Amino acid sequence: MTTSTAPIDAMTERHMQKKAKASAAGQKRKWTPGMIIAFIYLGIMLFITLFPFFWMIRTALTPAAELVADSGQLFPNNPTWINFQRVLGFTTREEAIAAGGTGATIDFIGYTWNTIVFAGSIAVVQTLSAAMAAYAFARLRFKGRDLLFSIVLAGLLVPGILTLLPNFALMRQMGWLNTMHGLVAPSLLMSPFAIFFLRQFFLSLPREVEEAAAIDGVGPFMRFWRITLPMSRGPIATMMLITLVGMWKDFLWPLVAGNADDTRVLTVALQRFLAQSPNVAPDWTGLMAAATIAIIPVFIMLILLGRQLVQSLNFSGGKM
């Protein structure tokens, strides 16, 4: 009776290959002084970035009466959910005042919807219009293209505060103050950064497919819509996410142009919540609880789309 040793030899060989790969990976992961310094630096930067969020949540879980006494501790002695309950209106006015608040609440459903409409409409329309402009700068040939693109890039040097008063005067003259269309109009179409970002990506795309479509008689708009846009889903989604986050946290323009109840966004609502206790100490625990709830939608989006955001930012943007 004979036995075959081929399967055993194959298993042994695979085992040795895995061991060799593990050994090579271990050698690659060998720590060097430079790597240690880099990780220490990254850890410090990560701590500096995340600590304000931790302190916000920690303050939201602290009873108002113990806020000063617990200010030197990382964690509250008696954590509670009462601050979240009272800003959401789940307690009576008497219970909210007894917990250290002013009895004020925030209409999170209404103000969140206003914020979604404000930030979402700007993110979608602005990104698509910027993508069309970026495609024109990247693919079309027309007189004055480079000069016009330089003017667009010059918009990156203009601080937003300089356009605040002209936009406010224009919206007031048109009668659009305290309306949603007046709130979104100044930022709906133009974004120099979005045009630059998407143009750099379009320059990195191969031209062969578009040139073949042009030979078949397909116009520039249809080439953009049917060919370039599907190949650019990642960067366009990234630009939408960046714009959405930026508009979600915008405060100054919604404050001056949309302070009515039917157009008020969450950032302005938080400021009004804090201003409802002018004669007593600010309701910091309630404000931190409200701020924690306000960032939850954006935080969820960043978790779901964070990997795509990082991958889209890795494309080469060196072409001009």
Side-chain angles (χ1 to χ4, degrees):
M1 183 177 180
T2 61
T3 58
S4 176
T5 61
I8 298 177
D9 293 341
M11 292 177 60
T12 303
E13 183 178 356
R14 287 196 297 267
H15 177 72
M16 294 299 295
Q17 291 176 353
K18 291 181 180 180
K19 189 174 180 180
K21 290 180 180 180
S23 177
Q27 293 177 358
K28 291 180 180 179
R29 287 195 298 266
K30 185 177 180 180
W31 291 89
T32 63
M35 292 177 61
I36 295 174
I37 294 174
F39 275 101
I40 292 175
Y41 175 78
L42 289 175
I44 293 174
M45 292 298 102
L46 186 63
F47 174 79
I48 294 174
T49 302
L50 296 180
F51 186 77
F53 295 96
F54 164 77
W55 200 257
M56 177 181 67
I57 298 173
R58 179 257 183 210
T59 304
L61 294 173
T62 303
E66 302 177 9
L67 180 62
V68 176
D70 290 352
S71 60
Q73 302 180 15
L74 283 178
F75 300 97
N77 290 324
N78 301 300
T80 178
W81 295 101
I82 188 63
N83 298 318
F84 293 94
Q85 295 172 356
R86 59 187 179 84
V87 298
L88 290 172
F90 293 158
T91 61
T92 63
R93 180 178 177 83
E94 292 74 17
E95 291 174 339
I97 294 176
T102 61
T105 60
I106 297 178
D107 181 14
F108 271 97
I109 295 178
Y111 296 152
T112 300
W113 173 249
N114 292 340
T115 309
I116 291 174
V117 174
F118 168 67
S121 59
I122 291 177
V124 173
V125 178
Q126 183 189 100
T127 303
L128 291 180
S129 62
M132 289 187 282
Y135 181 81
F137 285 125
R139 290 289 191 260
L140 304 185
R141 298 289 183 268
F142 54 90
K143 186 176 181 180
R145 184 193 65 173
D146 294 337
L147 176 61
L148 183 58
F149 182 66
S150 299
I151 295 174
V152 170
L153 287 184
L156 293 171
L157 305 177
V158 180
I161 191 66
L162 294 183
T163 62
L164 180 67
L165 290 180
N167 286 333
F168 177 80
L170 179 61
M171 295 301 106
R172 184 178 61 180
Q173 185 176 3
M174 298 178 66
W176 285 6
L177 289 180
N178 293 322
T179 62
M180 190 57 67
H181 48 278
L183 201 62
V184 304
S187 304
L188 194 61
L189 298 177
M190 179 61 178
S191 173
F193 173 73
I195 293 175
F196 171 77
F197 177 88
L198 294 174
R199 174 185 176 271
Q200 297 305 104
F201 178 79
F202 292 155
L203 287 174
S204 67
L205 293 177
R207 295 174 177 265
E208 289 76 10
V209 179
E210 296 180 49
E211 292 173 350
I215 294 175
D216 292 337
V218 180
F221 180 78
M222 296 309 297
R223 293 201 301 269
F224 165 76
W225 190 258
R226 293 183 177 179
I227 300 174
T228 304
L229 200 61
M231 292 192 297
S232 310
R233 286 194 298 265
I236 288 178
T238 298
M239 198 66 249
M240 283 188 182
L241 180 61
I242 293 174
T243 306
L244 180 68
V245 173
M247 292 297 103
W248 192 278
K249 62 184 180 64
D250 192 15
F251 171 73
L252 189 56
W253 174 249
L255 176 65
V256 300
N259 203 16
D261 285 337
D262 54 348
T263 58
R264 186 174 297 132
V265 298
L266 280 173
T267 52
V268 179
L270 294 178
Q271 184 270 339
R272 286 183 60 87
F273 177 85
L274 182 62
Q276 288 177 357
S277 56
N279 298 322
V280 296
D283 184 9
W284 294 118
T285 55
L287 180 65
M288 293 299 102
T292 301
I293 299 173
I295 68 171
I296 288 177
V298 175
F299 185 70
I300 293 174
M301 285 188 291
L302 288 175
I303 290 177
L304 296 177
L305 302 176
R307 182 181 297 274
Q308 181 175 335
L309 174 64
V310 174
Q311 291 176 350
S312 298
L313 292 175
N314 285 334
F315 73 88
S316 175
K319 292 188 179 182
M320 293 296 293

